[in-house]
Amino acid sequence: MRQDMLIAQGLTSPFKKGDESAVELQTMALARLRQLSAHEVGHTLGLSHNFAASQIGRSSVMDYPHPLVEIDKFGEVMLNNAYASGIAQWDKLTIKYAYSEFNEQDEAQGLKNIRKQISDSGIPFITDQDSRAGSMAHPNASLWDNGSDPSEELLRVLKVRRVALNQFGEASIKNDVPWSTLEKILVPVYLFHRFQSDAAAKLIGGLNYEYSHRAEDTENKSVKQLSEVSSARQQRALEVLLKTMSSEELAIPKNILSMIPPPAYGYPRDRENFTGNALPSFDALSAVATAASHTLELLLDPSRAARLIQQKALNPNNIGLAKVQTDIVNSSWKKSTKYPYLAEVQRNINWAVLKQLFSLAVDEEATPQVRAITHLSLRELQSWLKNKRSGSTPQKAMLIQAKKDIEQFLNSDTKELVPSIKPIPPGSPIGTL
Ligand SMILES: [Zn+2]
């Protein structure tokens, strides 16, 4: 409830005067509790999670719902539709299947009819095993996501995040609250897109499938039980995910930074804050690296990488691992940024890219071919760096250091060369049961 209130507060910055009651925050948190109550009763009645339901019109309370935050016609953040109310179609059909009573001779046919109704509803059932890990592949199944198309929803969520960041500041805290607490309220706003990124990443190297059983009447029916997510959808997901690691999206506005002093006495940082290197100040650049790494870990996951290679082998039109890595490097190291602050943000993203390439190149879970392609990407970056003319002093320093690090890495294969990125703070909209 507290986490939900925090999200709502950061997104709406409702305290223009500082003493408003901001009842909409509590309304949203209570809507979430109401939804959660239905969810837990669903478990008691025997239902599993269905993480595909949020993509088909919020069709089950057994998904994990992310608040569906919208922008109204005045450009204001709106929480009215954050959570659905009532139980939904998939819940009704599955309860009907579990609890309908039939005469003994009618039961088999009766259950078969309900199964057909479930199938005809078009709502897939995909549960924890295919949804929780960021490495998974089902395009419909994610926790804390919304919308029918994960990539387009991610773009929409980034727009909501931008509106929230633009108004973030004095109105994000009540009167008599330390300014330094803005740092904690900023976290869920800054990372507002994180769970939708998880959903979009599932499209890359993604697979459409269900827990299908052989049917009685398979004659003349296709036995094909899975298909790759189309190349166009994979490419689009990549394009949108690269936005989540762009300097323009990740640079924390300077006016926000100017309002956040080191923690006030009695209000220490805790695990819900960003951790940083620039103590005691709020480390705006470390937060950038943390956010970029969230996307990079998804894109350069060893299972996803292996699937990309397999899909490319089966169909040359698929994007493949090499192209994913080329696009990542082109959108980071090879991007030139003029303004000093944005350029420093970009350098932090670049180091995060390098670290993730190093990690994948020596990942024990990665196949030899995944590691080979990743090494090749590093060699290509190395030769690009050799011919690169440097600009400002920090830029020059980065280029020299990167050349040295890559060379040393390629000679020794150790991922300890680039300092670790600070971990992402926890931020699920509510406890996960
Ligand atoms: Zn549950």
Side-chain angles (χ1 to χ4, degrees):
M1 183 114 176
R2 199 179 51 77
Q3 183 64 237
D4 240 14
M5 297 281 283
L6 196 67
I7 293 171
Q9 182 176 340
L11 286 172
T12 53
S13 294
F15 306 114
K16 304 284 182 273
K17 286 187 295 177
D19 58 356
E20 292 90 336
S21 60
V23 70
E24 67 272 22
L25 313 186
Q26 201 183 50
T27 305
M28 185 185 105
L30 286 171
R32 172 62 181 119
L33 273 190
R34 185 178 59 207
Q35 199 281 344
L36 180 66
S37 307
H39 176 105
E40 301 305 344
V41 171
H43 281 316
T44 309
L45 291 171
L47 299 185
S48 301
H49 292 137
N50 185 358
F51 291 119
S54 61
Q55 284 197 14
I56 321 285
R58 303 207 270 193
S59 53
S60 171
V61 296
M62 301 312 293
D63 205 321
Y64 280 3
H66 194 268
L68 178 59
V69 181
E70 295 161 317
I71 305 295
D72 70 14
K73 60 181 177 185
F74 306 107
E76 302 276 341
V77 174
M78 193 173 72
L79 304 176
N80 303 1
N81 197 21
Y83 294 108
S85 63
I87 57 171
Q89 194 186 5
W90 188 81
D91 309 319
K92 291 176 189 168
L93 288 169
T94 47
I95 291 295
K96 189 172 165 189
Y97 184 75
Y99 289 94
S100 289
E101 289 188 21
F102 298 96
N103 295 326
E104 204 179 331
Q105 67 273 23
D106 300 332
E107 187 173 78
Q109 186 59 42
L111 290 176
K112 191 176 169 186
N113 292 345
I114 302 174
R115 283 200 300 275
K116 182 158 186 326
Q117 285 176 35
I118 296 173
S119 163
D120 290 348
S121 75
I123 307 166
F125 165 61
I126 304 290
T127 194
D128 298 58
Q129 63 188 46
D130 301 275
S131 313
R132 286 199 178 267
S135 57
M136 285 291 122
H138 200 289
N140 296 123
S142 284
L143 287 59
W144 315 119
D145 66 325
N146 273 310
S148 55
D149 183 316
S151 306
E152 301 317 309
E153 178 64 11
L154 177 53
L155 265 187
R156 196 191 69 79
V157 162
L158 285 173
K159 284 182 192 148
V160 173
R161 173 182 177 272
R162 182 54 52 193
V163 172
L165 280 174
N166 285 346
Q167 64 185 11
F168 190 88
E170 188 177 9
S172 309
I173 47 170
K174 282 186 166 180
N175 292 338
D176 300 324
V177 167
W179 282 95
S180 63
T181 57
L182 280 177
E183 187 179 317
K184 184 176 279 188
I185 302 164
L186 179 64
V187 174
V189 180
Y190 186 68
L191 298 174
F192 185 59
H193 60 294
R194 63 189 287 185
F195 299 108
Q196 196 60 43
S197 294
D198 295 354
K202 299 239 172 80
L203 295 171
I204 299 174
L207 285 173
N208 299 295
Y209 60 96
E210 290 182 46
Y211 306 134
S212 42
H213 294 203
R214 182 180 169 184
E216 298 143 31
D217 42 2
T218 45
E219 213 179 332
N220 302 324
K221 280 192 183 164
S222 166
V223 291
K224 187 174 172 180
Q225 297 302 326
L226 76 166
S227 64
E228 297 143 7
V229 170
S230 74
S231 177
R233 286 192 84 198
Q234 296 203 28
Q235 189 68 53
R236 175 68 172 157
L238 177 59
E239 189 185 307
V240 180
L241 279 162
L242 290 175
K243 242 175 117 59
T244 68
M245 42 177 279
S246 75
S247 48
E248 290 81 4
E249 289 296 338
L250 292 186
I252 300 173
K254 285 183 184 177
N255 70 310
I256 294 179
L257 297 177
S258 71
M259 282 181 251
I260 307 179
Y265 177 67
Y267 294 82
R269 293 188 176 110
D270 62 25
R271 69 191 198 100
E272 288 177 359
N273 286 78
F274 280 115
T275 41
N277 302 300
L279 300 177
S281 56
F282 169 56
D283 191 341
L285 298 171
S286 174
V288 166
T290 296
S293 289
H294 179 71
T295 299
L296 285 162
E297 282 169 19
L298 293 165
L299 290 176
L300 297 176
D301 172 84
S303 302
R304 176 158 293 109
R307 287 200 304 275
L308 283 165
I309 289 175
Q310 177 169 319
Q311 291 188 356
K312 180 86 177 163
L314 290 167
N315 177 355
N317 292 328
N318 284 325
I319 55 177
L321 179 61
K323 163 88 168 122
V324 169
Q325 295 190 354
T326 302
D327 284 7
I328 290 171
V329 171
N330 286 347
S331 73
S332 54
W333 283 91
K334 298 190 182 175
K335 181 175 163 187
S336 62
T337 308
K338 209 162 57 175
Y339 304 103
Y341 175 45
L342 271 190
E344 197 54 48
V345 166
Q346 186 62 57
R347 283 189 280 279
N348 279 270
I349 295 166
N350 296 352
W351 287 120
V353 167
L354 194 57
K355 182 201 154 33
Q356 207 60 44
L357 287 172
F358 284 173
S359 294
L360 184 59
V362 292
D363 195 314
E364 285 164 10
E365 302 292 317
T367 65
Q369 188 60 13
V370 165
R371 288 189 280 118
I373 287 177
T374 310
H375 273 94
L376 184 63
S377 293
L378 286 165
R379 286 202 187 281
E380 282 170 359
L381 176 58
Q382 187 186 33
S383 43
W384 179 82
L385 286 166
K386 273 181 186 150
N387 300 320
K388 179 79 184 146
R389 296 225 175 277
S390 47
S392 63
T393 303
Q395 187 70 7
K396 191 170 156 190
M398 175 187 72
L399 296 172
I400 293 170
Q401 189 65 39
K403 262 186 282 189
K404 184 169 162 283
D405 284 358
I406 294 175
E407 193 181 321
Q408 210 177 332
F409 176 83
L410 292 172
N411 289 336
S412 65
D413 263 9
T414 165
K415 60 181 161 184
E416 304 309 323
L417 287 164
V418 177
S420 63
I421 307 284
K422 299 292 181 190
I424 195 163
S428 302
I430 205 159
T432 51
L433 291 170

